Amino acid sequence: TAAVLALVTSLCLVFLALAAETATLVVLCALTALFAAACRAPQLAAVTAPAALVHATALACATGAAAGWGVQYTALLVLAVPAAAALLAAQPGDPRTTLGIEAAGAAAGLLAIALAAASADLPATALVLALCGVVTAGAAIRPDRRPAAYVSAGLFVTAAWVRLAAWDVGTPEAYTLPVTVPALLVGALRRRGHPGTSSWAAYGPGLAATLVPSLLTAWGDPDWTRPLLLGLAALAVTLVGARRHLQAPLLLGGTVLGLVAVHELAPYIVQVTDALPRWAPPALAGLLLLALGATYEQRLRDARRVRDFLGTMR
């Protein structure tokens, strides 16, 4: 009860202090210190530790605003909270306290990414994403947090994509293929040594490192060469995934192939739609719905078969 009342009181104090800049900074500093000191009581740490991190996040934002920094630089200051949370969570203690600390740190990391993205400063956004990847990779060192390595890989890959966009790179394959090829080789060696390794862990990051930037570039490319080459590469990846029963290549390749096909066929579909009478598209949509409704049970069985087929893949 005392902890809950303390949290409510702290929120009231913060809202009252927002009327003045100095009061905001002083109140947030005091609350962060008080909740951090209260963490010494083990029975309160599950509540006070996340509260201290939340107030520290608010303090970082308020400090950046008071100093007149841009939001991208405030995001870098906010990243100190996830770093501290990762260090605190690594200490042995109550699992509930550890989970609360990690949740508060993750929320602060998402806030930092959102602030950097809102600034439209691509280099700063790439830096924030990479630093979040470093913090997540540090958390993945713990045996009970191995899945965090997937999040870390995704953050690093996204940071690389944003950096390529910041450089106005017109041919991203020149930068992504040198990463994709060794990543796929490492994944193949990993699956050979540990056959139970998921294809998403072995091949997902390497394939996504090239396919996604190429897809984004192809969608804005007026020429036909890049979409054709990307479509052929995606088709090859899809066929390899289907033949080897690998879920990641099949889904990634099939998704990219479908999006490329939609992008290339869209102008022709629009022309055909304009040439038809206005009543034709709604009528065709109605007929399609009737056909789907008449074969609903069969479509449901087909969907289950597809789900079971994908479930057997690794």
Side-chain angles (χ1 to χ4, degrees), residues 215-298:
L215 176 64
L216 296 177
T217 306
W219 272 48
D221 193 345
D223 200 2
W224 59 271
T225 308
R226 184 187 300 277
L228 175 62
L229 295 177
L230 178 60
L232 292 175
L235 177 61
V237 171
T238 304
L239 293 177
V240 170
R243 182 175 179 80
R244 300 288 184 180
H245 286 266
L246 299 175
Q247 192 177 102
L250 177 64
L251 294 181
L252 286 175
T255 302
V256 172
L257 181 61
L259 292 175
V260 170
V262 168
H263 179 264
E264 295 304 308
L265 295 176
Y268 304 102
I269 295 174
V270 171
Q271 292 178 3
V272 172
T273 304
D274 292 338
L276 293 174
R278 291 188 176 182
W279 54 266
L284 292 175
L287 290 175
L288 179 61
L289 290 175
L290 286 175
L292 290 176
T295 60
Y296 172 75
E297 295 294 336
Q298 180 62 35

Side-chain angles (χ1 to χ4, degrees), residues 80-135:
V81 177
L87 293 175
L88 292 173
Q91 305 298 322
D94 185 3
R96 295 177 302 171
T97 303
T98 301
L99 185 60
I101 290 173
E102 290 175 337
L110 291 175
L111 176 61
I113 294 174
L115 290 174
S119 69
D121 188 341
L122 294 181
T125 304
L127 177 60
V128 170
L129 287 169
L131 291 176
C132 287
V134 171
V135 174

